[in-house]
Amino acid sequence: MPIWNPEYECLSRADMRALQLTRLQSSVSWAYDNSPWYRAVLDKAQVSPRDVRSLDDLRRLPFTDKTALRDSYPFGLLALPLRDIVRLHSSSGTTGKPVVVGYSRADLNAWTEVCARVASMAGVVASDRVDMTFLYGMFTGGWGMHYGVERIGATVIPAGAGSTERHLMMLADFGTTVFVGTPSYAIYLAEVGEKAGVDFATLPIRLGLFGGEATSTKMREEIEARLHIRATDNYGLSEVGGPGVAGECEIGLGRHVNEDHFYPEIVDPSSGEPVPFGEEGELVLTTLTKEAMPILRFRTHDLTRFVEGPCACGRTTVRIEPIRNRTDDMLIIRGVNVFPSQVEDILFSVEGTTPHYLLVVERKSGLDSLELRIEIDARLFSDRMAPLVEMQEQISERVQNVLGLRVQVTLVEPGSIERTQGKSKRVLDRR
Ligand code: DLL
């Protein structure tokens, strides 16, 4: 498959490192000279841009955490005056103030480039018709992928988070070939379509670009089977600009990082020290080209590992494994550490479950309790209780065996767990 920008995506390792160093040096200097926030942070840590003589010197710089972005709300991290900012986005923080991100004209151009790369990597070509189902608005997903896909020359259908019936109508009438959105929404679209009698096998749709949240293997297989498409995954986050940080090529082993724009490190979440290559840790990103809001060593909280060796697709950019967990997703229940994805994998290993579930955590008489609510296949919902009880027992036994945790399993009616057009919420922590 063609590579969007071989000049950068296929650089030799030595040339990439040289480019990264030059860009890192100018990015740190730029932040120091133009962002009073970063000047204060670097002065406090007693490091100056001149101390960055090699890529390893990056470790001498302090981390940036989400609290820095919240504390500097709204414009404290900008390194350009507002008259030079041509776009603002913000992340959908559930508590407190959102994180605000500013872009200069050059930033928008670079963002479009990295989004074009991930779309092209996934297989989007100029003749495609692309249904954008991400929310347009302050969320970075809609606009970022919109411009990326448009740069490739494909036809963008900017329907956004509109009505599902309308998406289905356009899918048929416009001959849409590519879906862009969250995996949760793809499942929902399949569900609504199937109910309305749509036969996806007969529609031209062939490819899905999923991002914004993790996709489990089961979810991915289910989407592929129900929508009759090939699913791909891409990753990004608002703080460093939005989608376009990393994407999946046709080989599918890891996600290529656009490392000429984002310098990735993987560190031990507790010590902050780099982990040996190939071991799991927290992804830390430094922007190498952002003018309006350079970010140094951002703690993403996303857990991943570097993938060894060159990729058969021909790109030489470093790869990371798909992200399943965040450090701050981990629940501690009666002293047991549990990632929601572990529970998800167990649920999905049982015949007859669906991808719709919710983990409810409560504290009852001083003790934590975990309830797993899961929708089951409509065909299993009947007057006969025996198969349901058996299934319930099977799930709780597996959870007990794998996680050493007793949980309450509640099988709920098909359609009773809330559906979303954006990112789904899997955990309800009532403690
Ligand atoms: O979700 C940016 C984005 C939009 C990426 C569209 C891809 C496509 P935020 O709302 O700031 O930005 O959320 C960022 O979402 O730190 C991850 O925890 C999670 N995330 C994003 N993409 C993936 C993915 C956008 N492909 C946070 N796999 C990140 C797993 C993902 N998690």
Side-chain angles (χ1 to χ4, degrees):
M1 276 220 278
I3 294 176
W4 177 253
N5 193 338
E7 190 187 340
Y8 289 96
E9 294 179 87
C10 304
L11 268 184
S12 73
R13 291 310 303 159
D15 287 348
M16 176 60 83
R17 289 184 75 76
L19 176 71
Q20 285 175 320
L21 179 59
T22 314
R23 288 187 172 180
L24 177 65
Q25 287 166 328
S26 56
S27 205
V28 177
S29 297
W30 176 264
Y32 188 80
D33 294 340
N34 297 287
S35 155
W37 176 277
Y38 268 119
R39 176 176 287 246
V41 166
L42 295 179
D43 282 346
K44 191 167 165 221
Q46 297 186 320
V47 273
S48 111
R50 282 187 308 279
D51 295 330
V52 182
R53 288 188 211 97
S54 71
L55 287 172
D56 286 340
D57 288 332
L58 179 60
R59 275 189 234 159
R60 303 170 68 164
L61 307 185
F63 291 117
T64 305
D65 213 331
K66 212 178 189 111
T67 49
L69 284 99
R70 293 236 160 90
D71 295 348
S72 61
Y73 177 86
F75 302 137
L77 273 176
L78 294 185
L80 278 178
L82 271 163
R83 67 164 184 281
D84 294 327
I85 305 288
V86 295
R87 178 96 65 81
L88 290 175
H89 278 285
S90 73
S91 81
S92 51
T94 41
T95 49
K97 297 281 192 191
V99 162
V100 176
V101 195
Y103 304 76
S104 68
R105 201 165 287 287
D107 292 337
L108 286 187
N109 193 33
W111 188 23
T112 300
E113 156 73 17
V114 289
C115 287
R117 285 189 202 169
V118 301
S120 166
M121 231 180 267
V124 175
V125 290
S127 55
D128 274 313
R129 274 161 251 170
V130 183
D131 184 14
M132 290 290 309
T133 75
F134 277 131
L135 184 73
Y136 282 82
M138 297 311 283
F139 181 52
T140 55
W143 295 101
M145 293 306 286
H146 175 111
Y147 283 105
V149 161
E150 201 169 80
R151 183 161 291 180
I152 292 177
T155 310
V156 184
I157 305 165
S163 94
T164 301
E165 284 70 23
R166 202 159 61 112
H167 277 291
L168 286 168
M169 184 184 79
M170 291 190 297
L171 226 55
D173 296 349
F174 296 176
T176 309
T177 53
V178 178
F179 171 102
V180 178
T182 61
S184 303
Y185 186 50
I187 286 277
Y188 183 41
L189 184 81
E191 195 172 71
V192 177
E194 285 156 7
K195 260 193 210 136
V198 175
D199 180 2
F200 289 102
T202 61
L203 295 180
I205 186 153
R206 64 178 182 86
L207 178 66
L209 271 58
F210 300 112
E213 63 179 5
T215 325
S216 65
T217 310
K218 155 106 179 184
M219 187 97 160
R220 190 177 165 118
E221 285 168 1
E222 179 141 352
I223 294 170
E224 291 188 324
R226 287 170 75 173
L227 288 180
H228 294 265
I229 61 174
R230 183 170 65 83
T232 64
D233 168 52
N234 64 85
Y235 166 81
L237 60 159
S238 318
E239 290 83 353
V240 302
V245 174
E248 178 179 354
C249 66
E250 73 269 23
I251 307 295
L253 298 172
R255 314 290 175 251
H256 289 274
V257 179
N258 282 312
E259 55 173 330
D260 49 329
H261 292 274
F262 309 99
Y263 186 81
E265 298 170 85
I266 296 183
V267 305
D268 178 327
S270 42
S271 69
E273 290 301 314
V275 296
F277 190 93
E279 277 185 24
E280 187 181 77
E282 177 181 347
L283 182 67
V284 171
L285 293 170
T286 297
T287 60
L288 295 180
T289 51
K290 277 206 88 184
E291 285 183 342
M293 208 171 114
I295 297 283
L296 308 176
R297 306 196 81 201
F298 183 71
R299 301 282 300 245
T300 65
H301 291 283
D302 292 317
L303 290 168
T304 184
R305 59 181 93 226
F306 286 125
V307 177
E308 190 99 44
C311 184
C313 74
R315 289 176 189 80
T316 53
T317 42
V318 74
R319 286 168 294 156
I320 52 172
E321 285 208 336
I323 284 145
R324 289 290 312 275
N325 299 312
R326 288 179 56 84
T327 54
D328 47 9
D329 265 355
M330 195 177 74
L331 300 164
I332 304 181
I333 295 157
R334 297 197 294 274
V336 181
N337 298 348
V338 185
F339 280 111
S341 66
Q342 292 175 296
V343 181
E344 177 177 290
D345 289 344
I346 297 168
L347 288 178
F348 289 173
S349 70
V350 174
E351 191 76 31
T353 55
T354 70
H356 306 289
Y357 69 94
L358 188 68
L359 309 188
V360 186
V361 191
E362 277 176 308
R363 182 158 291 151
K364 291 178 185 157
S365 7
L367 268 188
D368 297 332
S369 70
L370 176 61
E371 180 196 349
L372 313 184
R373 281 185 206 158
I374 178 144
E375 280 183 22
I376 55 166
D377 202 306
R379 283 161 298 185
L380 284 178
F381 240 97
S382 67
D383 299 339
R384 289 183 52 230
M385 283 302 287
L388 298 184
V389 173
E390 196 182 309
M391 187 175 183
Q392 234 166 349
E393 278 168 5
Q394 204 183 351
I395 295 173
S396 52
E397 211 176 283
R398 281 197 198 177
V399 175
Q400 169 92 47
N401 285 345
V402 179
L403 301 174
L405 196 67
R406 249 209 318 279
V407 293
Q408 182 196 332
V409 178
T410 314
L411 305 179
V412 297
E413 253 178 84
S416 59
I417 289 178
E418 196 186 313
R419 305 295 195 256
T420 173
Q421 288 208 333
K423 309 188 187 203
S424 60
K425 224 175 127 40
R426 307 287 198 192
V427 179
L428 188 62
D429 199 337
R430 292 190 173 139
R431 289 176 293 184

